[in-house]
Amino acid sequence: MGSMSPDVPLLNDYKQDFLLKRFPQTVLGGPRLKLGYCAPPYIYVNQIVLFLMPWALGGTGTLLYQLDILRDYSAAALSGGLMVITAAVIQLTSAHAKSKSVVVKRMTARNILAEEDEHEFTSCAGAETVRFLIPGKKYVANTVFHSVLAGLVCSLGTWYLLPNRITLLYGSPGATAALFVFGWLTLCIAEYSLIVNTATETATFQTQDTYEITPLLRPLYIFFFVSVDLAHRFIVNIPALEQVNQILHILFVLLPFLWALGTLPPPDALFFWAVEQILEFGLGGSSMSSHLRLLAMFITSAGTPVVSYFIPSTIGVVLFMTGLGFLLSLNLSDLSLVFRRGVARPRVERGPKAFPGNCGHRFGRKECLLCTVVLGVALLEAGLLHHHAGVSQVSRSNSQSILGYVLMALLSMLWILGETQSIYIFGIFRNPFYPKNIQAVSVFSEKQKKLLKIGVVRWLLLTIVSPLAMVAFLALDSSLHGLHSVTVSIGFTRAFRTVIPVCIAQPFLWRSVIVVGVMRDRVLQFITKLQFAMTVLLASWTEKKQHRKTTTALCVLNTVFAPCVLIVIVFSALLSSPLLPLFTLPIFLVGFPRPVQSWPGAVGTTACVCTDTVFYQQMVPRLTAALQTAMAAGSFGPLLPGSHYLGRFEDRLIWIMVLERGYSYCCVNVKGLELQETSCHTAEAQRVDEVFESAFQQEPPRTWSLNEHVGNVLMPCAVLPVKLYSDAKSVLTGIIDSHENLQEFRDDLVKVLVWVLIQYCSKRPSLQENIHRTENNREALPVVLPALNTSPCPKSLEDSDSLNSDTFHDWSDDCIFDDEPTIKNKKEKLQFEDRPGTNLPIPGSVDSQSADDRSTSTGPQNDLYRTMLLGFPAVDKGQREDMASIPLVEFSCSQSHLLSVPEEWRSNCTPHSRIMEASPLFPEDWYQFVLRQVECFHSEEKSDVLEEIAKDKALKAVYIHTVMACYIGLFGIDNMVPSPGQIVRVYNGGLPCSGTLDWLSEKPELFQLVQKAFRYTLKLMVDKASLGPIEDFKELIDCLREYERDWYIGLVTEEQWKEAILEEKPCLFSLGYESSMGVYTARVLVLQELLVRIGKLNAEAVRGQWANLSWELLYATNDDEERYSIQAHPLLLRNLTVQAADPPLGYPIFSSKPLPIHLC
């Protein structure tokens, strides 16, 4: 994504034409009167007739009513019946057109310049015409249901718009005529969308309308308006209801305008939004982390006031409301988890061990004990105080007044203590108590101890003192001693459920607690929406890169029509809907109300997974534990559902959203944004760094300094010490291309191969079983050893020197960075069939192999055996001396075979002459030193045994043969120094083509050991160049042990790399090549406790930008990667906000499941 220009188009030319065709269709409910190409006139006439059909049918019933031929309900029933028949005919016609097929169809040449959606019509009632006008339904059930629903809408609409009825409401013939005409236009728009062709709605919630819910949007609101009118008809003498009915009749004619603007939500969004609002403000609950939990909590909470209404005893009501209200404020899934874990504990203990840090902080015994104690004390307190209040009314009134003032004092103290935990007070003044110039973890932890002590006091007041004080206040209320009523039951249910006193600003007005809660929430929303609107408006003028040609005109219009803009903001706050800035310009609309999550899908189910996702997977458990401490102390302010936070560490951006809030817990969703930064991403990330650095890392000039970035939507909150990986990349220029380092690399490789093989052999599972059995056995054990004076296999049909050329020089540096190594002129292995009855002895061998052994062994066969079976030409005597001959060798020490390499590794296709030439490179002193360090023997004579093994020449010969064969397979025997490209190629697993490659590929375990030794040697070379040379063998072996214990050395693309991060390996190393710069690079990850900076985002800015994103992509289909609304915006953080949206509209690379955080 390139840098943003002010002239970036909002929509490209194609999308502009598309939107100009789609929007009129949305306004009219489905008729396509603007096609963009020439169509026959009957296409438009047919659509107009279908559009006005409901008016004609409803007008028939209305006319019969006005002529006193039919009663109002009979006229409505007649119109509805005719509409059902008409809708059925329309749907059957569409089904018939779909099923109609032509056996022979003339193929016509298509005009390549025609529109993509251009249709060819043959007649007024042709199949193509019908399919274009009436697409039909996907499901038969919807065909029947929508037809019946269309009749019901027409029937109720006819009744709703009867002229006599409208005249009784307003007493004006002019108003009656206007409402009648425009009201029927509204009904025609709704009917057309229901039974003819569904329009694409601007208020789109789901990405796909699988079950055809969209056609129900407009009839749904018509039913709501009609239901109020019916209530007014049958419930008389209620002046307020009459006034509401009059207002709704006026709003009824404005419904097409609201539908076109997308202000009214679709049915699914409306349902979940309404449930959340009722649960939060009517029943004292919280929005939930999933739709299923929301419905379950709503049903349970709604049953609480119903049950309490029928409890005859007042003390029973108090205890019931106190206990159940407290339990519903807990995370019930955690309680069920504790129970299941207690039952299944034996099975869990026998289960597989999880990765370290894979589980966050769980609801354990401490939390369970706290909740049990608080619940018990609350029940005891409520019962005693209620009984005492029933005895003495005077003391009850005085006690409740005192407790009211105590609650207000607690509220003030909690607010003050909470402000001390954050970096800024009111978001403007820097907190003088917060640690200054934060850079080191140890310094920050030491300075934060005092603040954490204050946080503990705040936690005690919030979690224990305040709930008990509020329960006491409510238990003393006089209303609980009288007769029950619906309002008392609902009010006290909400009050007892709301255990956090911050949510009750005026507890003595308990009868208005619902109104107070709603007003408080709407006022906070209005303030944040106003801040968001001002930021958008001022940024469009002050930010040069945001200044467009239309900016001046838009700013002037917003200034002139400021009252209208305020009305839009107020209306958005009242509906608790996002304030939608169209294309993120200062053009403000009221988005449709939607749930707090903003997206329809389940949380954490989708993400754009890549190789960097694993960093967030490792980080989340550690981050959750750090969030627990900070949230409990109050560093993040009020933890309200729908709050958003942004975390920053190195190149990682963490998006945190609060989903659910209850007593001593909250539920969050953590998202990880991409690490491959585009220019827009980088610009906004730099602004985030500037905001955090000015708050946390710069020494303030005075005690009460101001926030330099007040206008930004990001407000710094706190710094969290989190154990995670730091990512460092360095250039290896001067190290990997140094001739001296490369020469040492060859020498060190042999040493590391020796150490790796001995370590493997000493830790084999079968070794420990045999040690005890052979410690007292001093007899010499024979072993088949490839003799050092023979060759294990023939030199093929080519000259012996040709093998050396195949080992390393058949690929060049130009192709070393291919995904897979390219092997040139690789010879096919000879396959020898086992002939039944053939068991020929091999001359020169003490013991010959059986036919079965030859059929399964990967070792070489004798040259005479090959010659007799395959007819190879005879080999002269000079060459025969270099062929494979496998003598029987005896170890001088009885325990030597325990440290010997596996038998299947001892034979290979490397010529003996080459091993002899390379054998001087074998470090005998290092070999003996490593053997003496082996830890596999535990007897008292350990040192003597190891000394005997180290002197065993046969064992040394085995290691020389195996190690040098692996070495030759990597580099050959030439003394030339490998190039950096060759080292990178082998590091990536691309060995040079040779016979040794076939031998190693058949032994994956040995191949992995050789690869590990090679990578360890490369890391050793880098460390020696950076930290200095290795002094002695002891330091070298300590270094290798550290690699084995604390490091994973491999490739980023390997699965083991991801597993090492999840297992929290202390360090990781990877080698790479930057083709754009032409340099070799090293990447080092180190697990350590580092500081993650967290800031709070303006929640309404996030909701508004997400609402615009939904409108742009789902309605305007503006998916251009260079569109204006996705470009960098340093104040709104527009690009980062778009990334954090749920897929498919956003593209976070990680999204967690709902994570419960227990604040205790």
Side-chain angles (χ1 to χ4, degrees):
M1 184 180 298
S3 59
M4 194 196 78
S5 169
D7 298 325
V8 173
L10 302 178
L11 290 169
N12 57 37
D13 295 337
Y14 174 75
K15 294 299 182 182
Q16 289 178 12
D17 295 338
F18 174 79
L19 186 61
L20 290 177
K21 289 187 293 184
R22 170 170 279 192
F23 188 70
Q25 181 184 359
T26 302
V27 173
L28 296 176
R32 288 179 276 187
L33 301 181
K34 182 176 175 59
L35 299 178
Y37 56 90
C38 184
Y42 55 78
I43 295 296
Y44 303 99
V45 174
N46 287 344
Q47 291 185 87
I48 294 173
V49 171
L50 291 172
F51 180 78
L52 297 177
M53 185 67 68
W55 197 347
L57 300 178
T60 302
T62 302
L63 181 61
L64 294 177
Y65 169 74
Q66 292 297 119
L67 296 176
D68 293 331
I69 298 176
L70 294 176
R71 301 288 297 273
D72 52 358
Y73 55 83
S74 300
L78 175 63
S79 300
L82 293 175
M83 191 67 232
V84 171
I85 296 174
T86 303
V89 172
I90 290 173
Q91 294 302 317
L92 290 175
T93 303
S94 174
H96 176 71
K98 285 183 178 180
S99 62
K100 188 176 181 180
S101 60
V102 181
V103 179
V104 180
K105 184 177 180 179
R106 182 179 179 182
M107 302 300 295
T108 58
R110 179 173 177 81
N111 182 10
I112 61 174
L113 300 178
E115 293 284 342
E116 293 182 5
D117 56 350
E118 184 172 333
H119 297 263
E120 296 182 1
F121 306 102
T122 56
S123 64
C124 178
E128 179 66 24
T129 303
V130 174
R131 286 195 294 267
F132 173 77
L133 296 176
I134 314 169
K137 307 296 180 182
K138 292 189 294 184
Y139 306 106
V140 177
N142 281 339
T143 300
V144 177
F145 175 64
H146 290 179
S147 299
V148 175
L149 189 62
L152 188 59
V153 170
C154 186
S155 175
L156 294 176
T158 302
W159 202 1
Y160 187 73
L161 296 176
L162 288 176
N164 290 348
R165 180 64 180 172
I166 298 176
T167 303
L168 290 176
L169 283 175
Y170 298 97
S172 172
T176 300
L179 292 176
F180 180 80
V181 173
F182 289 105
W184 268 108
L185 283 177
T186 301
L187 284 174
C188 290
I189 290 173
E191 293 281 17
Y192 195 96
S193 181
L194 184 61
I195 62 171
V196 181
N197 183 22
T198 303
T200 303
E201 299 290 351
T202 52
T204 303
F205 189 56
Q206 301 281 352
T207 55
Q208 292 182 343
D209 188 17
T210 306
Y211 302 104
E212 296 179 312
I213 298 177
T214 303
L216 305 178
L217 185 149
R218 307 190 183 205
L220 175 67
Y221 292 99
I222 289 177
F223 285 143
F224 170 74
F225 281 76
V226 173
S227 64
V228 176
D229 183 70
L230 292 177
H232 180 229
R233 285 174 184 264
F234 297 107
I235 304 176
V236 295
N237 299 326
I238 302 180
L241 188 59
E242 182 178 359
Q243 293 176 1
V244 171
N245 195 19
Q246 290 174 347
I247 296 173
L248 290 182
H249 268 78
I250 298 174
L251 292 178
F252 187 81
V253 301
L254 299 178
L255 280 178
F257 178 73
L258 298 177
W259 288 331
L261 292 180
T263 304
L264 300 178
D268 48 353
L270 175 63
F271 174 75
F272 289 112
W273 171 82
V275 170
E276 276 189 354
Q277 296 296 306
I278 296 172
L279 178 61
E280 182 175 357
F281 301 108
L283 301 172
S286 164
S287 59
M288 308 304 288
S289 58
S290 67
H291 295 326
L292 183 61
R293 286 171 61 90
L294 178 65
L295 294 177
M297 183 60 71
F298 175 77
I299 294 173
T300 306
S301 301
T304 303
V306 176
V307 175
S308 65
Y309 180 79
F310 292 100
I311 296 178
S313 172
T314 57
I315 191 171
V317 171
V318 172
L319 294 177
F320 175 78
M321 289 182 176
T322 302
L324 191 59
F326 183 85
L327 290 176
L328 290 179
S329 299
L330 301 175
N331 189 358
L332 299 182
S333 61
D334 281 341
L335 297 179
S336 62
L337 179 62
V338 169
F339 176 76
R340 294 197 304 269
R341 194 169 56 192
V343 173
R345 184 178 299 274
R347 289 178 292 175
V348 172
E349 291 177 353
R350 292 192 297 266
K353 186 177 180 180
F355 290 139
N358 211 28
C359 299
H361 181 75
R362 294 180 176 179
F363 188 83
R365 295 181 179 179
K366 181 181 68 174
E367 292 79 9
C368 186
L369 179 61
L370 172 66
C371 294
T372 303
V373 171
V374 173
L375 176 59
V377 174
L379 290 173
L380 180 62
E381 174 191 39
L384 294 177
L385 289 178
H386 179 74
H387 176 73
H388 173 72
V391 177
S392 176
Q393 297 183 358
V394 177
S395 61
R396 175 185 63 195
S397 177
N398 294 334
S399 300
Q400 191 176 26
S401 300
I402 294 173
L403 282 174
Y405 290 110
V406 170
L407 283 174
M408 288 188 288
L410 281 174
L411 176 62
S412 303
M413 290 179 62
L414 287 170
W415 178 81
I416 294 173
L417 295 177
E419 290 294 325
T420 61
Q421 300 298 311
S422 183
I423 185 68
Y424 287 117
I425 298 175
F426 300 120
I428 301 176
F429 304 102
R430 197 185 192 283
N431 183 2
F433 303 102
Y434 204 84
K436 301 177 179 64
N437 195 15
I438 301 167
Q439 292 181 350
V441 179
S442 58
V443 176
F444 171 77
S445 301
E446 186 67 25
K447 292 181 178 180
Q448 200 189 24
K449 288 182 179 179
K450 296 180 180 180
L451 283 181
L452 289 179
K453 294 178 181 178
I454 300 176
V456 171
V457 175
R458 179 186 177 275
W459 177 83
L460 291 173
L461 294 177
L462 179 65
T463 308
I464 299 177
V465 178
S466 296
L468 297 178
M470 190 180 68
V471 168
F473 175 85
L474 295 174
L476 292 172
D477 197 276
S478 59
S479 300
L480 290 173
H481 296 271
L483 296 177
H484 297 331
S485 65
V486 175
T487 56
V488 171
S489 297
I490 296 176
F492 273 102
T493 298
R494 187 191 189 280
F496 278 105
R497 175 77 181 277
T498 310
V499 296
I500 302 177
V502 175
C503 297
I504 302 181
Q506 299 179 9
F508 49 84
L509 297 176
W510 67 266
R511 295 177 181 85
S512 305
V513 69
I514 297 177
V515 178
V516 171
V518 173
M519 289 179 59
R520 173 183 174 275
D521 178 78
R522 297 309 189 252
V523 168
L524 292 177
Q525 285 197 35
F526 173 78
I527 294 173
T528 53
K529 290 178 193 294
L530 184 61
Q531 292 175 348
F532 171 50
M534 293 299 296
T535 302
V536 174
L537 183 62
L538 295 178
S540 64
W541 179 261
T542 58
E543 293 286 335
K544 182 180 296 185
K545 292 185 178 181
Q546 308 300 325
H547 201 85
R548 300 175 58 85
K549 296 178 180 179
T550 58
T551 299
T552 303
L554 290 175
C555 291
V556 170
L557 289 175
N558 276 275
T559 304
V560 173
F561 295 99
C564 297
V565 175
L566 286 177
I567 291 174
V568 171
I569 297 175
V570 169
F571 191 49
S572 174
L574 291 176
L575 290 178
S576 187
S577 60
L579 181 66
L580 192 154
L582 197 62
F583 298 106
T584 64
L585 293 173
I587 305 173
F588 301 105
L589 303 175
V590 180
F592 66 88
R594 63 198 77 192
V596 169
Q597 297 177 19
S598 297
W599 308 110
V603 175
T605 56
T606 55
C608 302
V609 179
C610 65
T611 55
D612 294 327
T613 302
V614 66
F615 292 107
Y616 293 107
Q617 291 176 338
Q618 180 274 331
M619 179 192 299
V620 163
R622 302 289 186 177
L623 179 65
T624 303
L627 288 175
Q628 176 191 7
T629 303
M631 289 180 172
S635 300
F636 288 3
L639 298 174
L640 302 176
S643 300
H644 297 265
Y645 299 88
L646 184 66
R648 177 70 169 168
F649 167 72
E650 289 186 350
D651 58 349
R652 272 159 269 182
L653 284 163
I654 311 152
W655 194 282
I656 304 170
M657 179 181 180
V658 180
L659 303 172
E660 182 179 334
R661 181 72 166 96
Y663 176 73
S664 72
Y665 88 96
C666 70
C667 203
V668 301
N669 167 241
V670 178
K671 293 178 181 176
L673 305 188
E674 63 180 358
L675 305 186
Q676 303 295 331
E677 298 182 351
T678 61
S679 59
C680 294
H681 181 106
T682 303
E684 293 187 356
Q686 289 177 352
R687 176 55 66 94
V688 172
D689 292 335
E690 292 175 5
V691 172
F692 283 136
E693 287 175 3
S694 65
F696 298 116
Q697 295 184 1
Q698 294 181 3
E699 188 73 25
R702 54 185 181 274
T703 304
W704 292 93
S705 59
L706 300 178
N707 182 9
E708 299 176 1
H709 302 276
V710 177
N712 200 296
V713 297
L714 178 65
M715 184 64 60
C717 290
V719 175
L720 305 180
V722 183
K723 192 173 184 181
L724 41 74
Y725 282 100
S726 62
D727 192 351
K729 297 179 182 178
S730 59
V731 177
L732 297 181
T733 302
I735 298 178
I736 197 173
D737 53 357
S738 170
H739 181 80
E740 181 181 354
N741 292 339
L742 293 175
Q743 184 65 42
E744 292 183 5
F745 178 87
R746 290 172 59 92
D747 299 335
D748 291 337
L749 177 59
V750 181
K751 296 180 181 179
V752 178
L753 276 170
V754 171
W755 183 83
V756 168
L757 289 177
I758 292 178
Q759 288 296 310
Y760 171 80
C761 295
S762 66
K763 295 179 180 179
R764 278 179 295 176
S766 60
L767 176 65
Q768 304 301 328
E769 300 176 2
N770 296 332
I771 285 179
H772 179 72
R773 189 170 52 198
T774 60
E775 275 185 344
N776 298 323
N777 187 6
R778 299 297 179 180
E779 297 180 4
L781 297 177
V783 62
V784 178
L785 175 69
L788 294 181
N789 60 350
T790 60
S791 175
C793 70
K795 298 181 183 178
S796 156
L797 302 178
E798 303 182 34
D799 187 78
S800 60
D801 293 336
S802 66
L803 183 61
N804 188 51
S805 64
D806 287 341
T807 58
F808 204 57
H809 305 294
D810 59 347
W811 44 270
S812 63
D813 290 348
D814 297 336
C815 60
I816 63 173
F817 302 108
D818 297 337
D819 292 337
E820 296 294 336
T822 304
I823 300 175
K824 301 178 182 179
N825 301 326
K826 182 177 180 180
K827 310 174 187 63
E828 295 184 359
K829 292 186 294 182
L830 300 176
Q831 303 292 333
F832 304 106
E833 296 182 359
D834 181 29
R835 303 297 180 87
T838 304
N839 190 7
L840 299 177
I842 302 176
S845 174
V846 177
D847 189 15
S848 60
Q849 295 176 334
S850 65
D852 292 339
D853 293 337
R854 286 192 298 270
S855 64
T856 59
S857 174
T858 59
Q861 307 293 335
N862 184 267
D863 184 71
L864 176 61
Y865 177 71
R866 294 171 182 255
T867 303
M868 295 181 62
L869 294 182
L870 300 178
F872 281 176
V875 183
D876 58 29
K877 182 178 180 181
Q879 289 182 339
R880 183 177 300 278
E881 292 178 357
D882 201 36
M883 296 298 106
S885 179
I886 308 177
L888 189 64
V889 180
E890 293 184 355
F891 287 134
S892 61
C893 178
S894 59
Q895 278 85 3
S896 293
H897 74 282
L898 299 176
L899 294 180
S900 177
V901 298
E903 293 183 6
E904 61 270 16
W905 295 1
R906 297 173 189 166
S907 58
N908 57 75
C909 293
T910 304
H912 164 65
S913 59
R914 306 207 170 195
I915 293 181
M916 290 296 297
E917 292 177 13
S919 59
L921 296 175
F922 186 84
E924 295 187 15
D925 50 351
W926 166 256
Y927 162 76
Q928 294 182 3
F929 179 81
V930 173
L931 280 180
R932 292 186 177 97
Q933 303 295 320
V934 172
E935 300 291 341
C936 62
F937 294 97
H938 305 286
S939 64
E940 298 179 356
E941 302 177 355
K942 171 185 173 181
S943 59
D944 297 336
V945 172
L946 291 177
E947 189 67 28
E948 294 181 12
I949 295 176
K951 296 178 180 179
D952 194 329
K953 295 183 179 181
L955 180 64
K956 183 180 72 173
V958 171
Y959 273 99
I960 291 176
H961 190 277
T962 305
V963 169
M964 302 317 299
C966 296
Y967 176 82
I968 292 172
L970 293 174
F971 288 124
I973 62 170
D974 295 336
N975 291 325
M976 61 176 295
V977 177
S979 67
Q982 293 169 342
I983 287 183
V984 175
R985 178 68 178 263
V986 177
Y987 184 93
N988 292 338
L991 298 183
C993 177
S994 66
T996 307
L997 174 61
D998 297 335
W999 172 63
L1000 285 175
S1001 62
E1002 294 173 355
K1003 301 169 179 59
E1005 203 168 11
L1006 178 61
F1007 180 82
Q1008 291 177 4
L1009 293 176
V1010 172
Q1011 188 178 53
K1012 182 171 76 170
F1014 187 91
R1015 292 175 175 179
Y1016 281 12
T1017 308
L1018 178 67
K1019 181 66 172 62
L1020 182 64
M1021 180 183 71
V1022 174
D1023 288 347
K1024 289 168 64 176
S1026 304
L1027 305 176
I1030 300 295
E1031 298 294 338
D1032 50 22
F1033 288 165
K1034 181 68 168 58
E1035 185 178 354
L1036 177 58
I1037 206 168
D1038 290 341
C1039 185
L1040 294 176
R1041 286 173 178 173
E1042 181 186 353
Y1043 293 163
E1044 186 77 15
R1045 180 182 66 252
D1046 298 334
W1047 286 80
Y1048 174 78
I1049 303 173
L1051 297 175
V1052 176
T1053 56
E1054 292 175 340
E1055 188 66 23
Q1056 292 85 349
W1057 178 275
K1058 176 180 178 181
E1059 293 176 358
I1061 293 177
L1062 294 179
E1063 292 174 353
E1064 296 192 342
K1065 201 79 170 177
C1067 305
L1068 291 90
F1069 176 88
S1070 177
L1071 180 67
Y1073 179 76
E1074 289 289 343
S1075 58
S1076 59
M1077 302 173 60
V1079 296
Y1080 301 96
T1081 60
R1083 184 178 185 183
V1084 178
L1085 303 181
V1086 179
L1087 184 66
Q1088 54 187 323
E1089 195 170 41
L1090 298 166
L1091 297 177
V1092 178
R1093 297 162 294 179
I1094 305 290
K1096 185 175 184 179
L1097 294 164
N1098 186 319
E1100 294 303 325
V1102 176
R1103 294 183 66 200
Q1105 294 182 76
W1106 281 356
N1108 174 73
L1109 175 67
S1110 178
W1111 181 88
E1112 272 200 76
L1113 294 186
L1114 299 182
Y1115 181 75
T1117 65
N1118 186 25
D1119 56 352
D1120 187 359
E1121 294 183 355
E1122 299 294 333
R1123 64 184 184 273
Y1124 172 80
S1125 61
I1126 201 176
Q1127 303 295 328
H1129 196 300
L1131 293 183
L1132 294 179
L1133 305 180
R1134 185 166 51 193
N1135 186 266
L1136 299 180
T1137 305
V1138 169
Q1139 289 185 46
D1142 282 5
L1145 305 186
Y1147 43 96
I1149 65 173
F1150 171 77
S1151 182
S1152 70
K1153 296 289 185 180
L1155 300 172
I1157 298 178
H1158 302 284
L1159 309 179
C1160 55

